[in-house]
Amino acid sequence: MFAAMFIMMVLFLFGAVTMRAAGCVINDIWDRRIDLRVERTRGRPLAAGTISLFQALLFLALLCVTGLLVLLQLPQTAVLVGITSLPLVIIYPLAKRVTWWPQFVLGLTFSWGVPLGWAASTDSWPTAAIWLIYAGSVAWVFGYDTIYAVQEMADDREAGVKSSALGLGAHLQQGIRISYCLAILLISAGLHFHMGPGLWMAGAALMAIHLLRQ
């Protein structure tokens, strides 16, 4: 049992690092011209011209092949759940061009490890409780990435890039509070329906204190 859990954790570690890197490459390919107009990102390799578009695409292909090899080590249901995340990985970098809420799309993408982890561990489709935890994770990502987007509000306005920090405007703090409260409630509800009362409640309380302090 322990050996199987360890192997699963190693696979998820490699898979997460590989696909997160692939998502970053896709983002940098789409944004290579916008990045030149933002102080924090103008030093990125594609924007700065230190690597070519062909080199970036070659590296992306290598990452995707590696990610696929990792995914194929998982049960069949997990493979299907993993493949369904690919559209999110591809469209996220485009979201800030068409919607004020790209942080929500990021939450949908980054949180996909919740249903994938369930499918990998059980070889079954996620239950309603797991989807509640997923929804809570989406709200959490929305909150913290909105805070992150605050530092780039001026550059984003100049570059014509949309973000939830700009979209919320004068309601920025309230929006973050609501998203964090939703994260706490949804994750707690999912854990309760899945496991019943238990020690996880102490962890949820600490999470609530940490998020609400932000």
Side-chain angles (χ1 to χ4, degrees):
M1 177 69 73
F2 177 79
M5 289 177 59
F6 179 77
I7 292 172
M8 184 67 69
M9 290 173 66
V10 171
L11 287 173
F12 261 73
L13 173 63
F14 276 97
V17 171
T18 300
M19 294 314 297
R20 179 66 63 87
C24 288
V25 173
I26 294 172
N27 183 77
D28 288 2
I29 289 174
W30 284 119
D31 288 356
R32 61 190 185 278
R33 292 183 178 87
I34 293 177
D35 285 344
L36 281 172
R37 303 169 65 181
V38 178
E39 182 177 356
R40 183 181 63 86
T41 60
R42 64 184 51 163
R44 286 176 174 175
L46 274 170
T50 54
I51 67 169
S52 67
L53 179 59
F54 175 76
Q55 289 173 317
L57 291 171
L58 193 63
F59 184 49
L60 176 61
L62 176 63
L63 290 170
C64 288
V65 170
T66 304
L68 178 61
L69 291 175
V70 172
L71 185 63
L72 291 176
Q73 308 308 307
L74 303 178
Q76 183 177 8
T77 305
V79 173
L80 295 175
V81 173
I83 290 174
T84 56
S85 70
L86 290 178
L88 290 171
V89 174
I90 294 171
I91 68 172
Y92 162 66
L94 301 176
K96 58 190 163 191
R97 292 166 169 82
V98 297
T99 176
W100 290 105
W101 316 111
Q103 279 69 29
F104 177 71
V105 183
L106 180 69
L108 294 173
T109 308
F110 275 13
S111 302
W112 202 256
V114 174
L116 180 59
W118 173 265
S121 301
T122 65
D123 196 15
S124 62
W125 290 95
T127 63
I130 298 302
W131 287 118
L132 280 174
I133 297 172
Y134 170 71
S137 180
V138 172
W140 169 56
V141 174
F142 178 89
Y144 78 65
D145 205 58
T146 297
I147 294 174
Y148 185 74
V150 169
Q151 66 180 318
E152 295 179 350
M153 291 172 68
D155 285 336
D156 285 345
R157 285 194 190 95
E158 183 177 345
V161 172
K162 297 177 173 65
S163 75
S164 55
L166 292 172
L168 287 168
H171 304 290
L172 177 62
Q173 291 186 0
Q174 294 94 319
I176 293 170
R177 287 193 189 101
I178 291 171
S179 66
Y180 276 170
C181 286
L182 281 173
I184 295 162
L185 291 172
L186 289 169
I187 292 174
S188 296
L191 291 171
H192 177 76
F193 290 141
H194 180 60
M195 297 188 296
L199 290 176
W200 65 264
M201 297 176 69
L206 291 173
M207 177 185 75
I209 293 170
H210 174 64
L211 293 185
L212 294 179
R213 283 186 69 250
Q214 292 184 27

